[in-house]
Amino acid sequence: MLILLGIEEADNEEDIEWLCQKLTKLRIFSDENDSMNLDVNQVEGSFLVVSQFTLHALTKKGNRPSFIRAARPEQAVPLYELFLKRLAEVSGREVQSGEFGAMMAVELLNDGPVTIIMDSKRRE
């Protein structure tokens, strides 16, 4: 499961915990009847987590995105590292990660129609 993780100023440890619990139990993988019914553990999957502050781009005004909602590295790095640690603990699965803040080339082969946006501030 590829996770593009954007951390905003309002995020905290509670958000990290909620995301890790939710991602581990998310039934997005196909079963024998081709229904999305299995979680990452049931398919013996793993995680790749890449930090992605651009997910918080505001584009309402002008043509240059604003990233003012994205957390500064002093706040984001500890939460990113906590996310990696807790996701491995909660899921019991391998968690690989990109380097925080680095320019990386990530290639994705999307096997199926599933791309989900999760916002820990919109849990309802």
Side-chain angles (χ1 to χ4, degrees):
M1 186 185 301
L2 173 61
I3 300 168
L4 302 176
L5 181 65
I7 299 172
E8 68 175 42
E9 286 183 331
D11 287 335
N12 57 42
E13 291 183 16
E14 182 181 314
D15 297 292
I16 298 301
E17 189 65 30
W18 180 83
L19 283 169
C20 291
Q21 294 290 335
K22 192 72 162 176
L23 287 165
T24 299
K25 297 172 186 165
L26 203 59
R27 296 179 357 188
I28 58 172
F29 298 100
S30 295
D31 63 15
E32 64 279 354
N33 298 317
D34 208 26
S35 293
M36 288 189 347
N37 224 6
L38 303 176
D39 64 36
V40 69
N41 281 308
Q42 292 169 306
V43 298
E44 298 183 12
S46 59
F47 297 96
L48 172 59
V49 181
V50 177
S51 65
Q52 192 69 30
F53 77 92
T54 60
L55 291 171
H56 294 291
L58 298 175
T59 57
K60 287 185 177 185
K61 289 175 45 179
N63 295 317
R64 181 177 305 177
S66 168
F67 302 106
I68 197 161
R69 283 184 39 214
R72 305 276 314 146
E74 307 80 51
Q75 176 189 4
V77 170
L79 288 175
Y80 177 73
E81 291 173 353
L82 177 63
F83 179 82
L84 298 174
K85 178 180 179 230
R86 287 298 296 145
L87 186 59
E89 291 171 352
V90 170
S91 70
R93 308 305 304 172
E94 179 180 4
V95 176
Q96 297 179 358
S97 64
E99 182 180 336
F100 186 91
M103 193 71 157
M104 294 174 285
V106 177
E107 190 172 315
L108 164 66
L109 172 62
N110 197 353
D111 183 17
V114 182
T115 303
I116 298 172
I117 298 172
M118 295 175 61
D119 184 343
S120 62
K121 299 303 186 203
R122 295 182 180 176
R123 298 180 193 182
E124 306 83 52

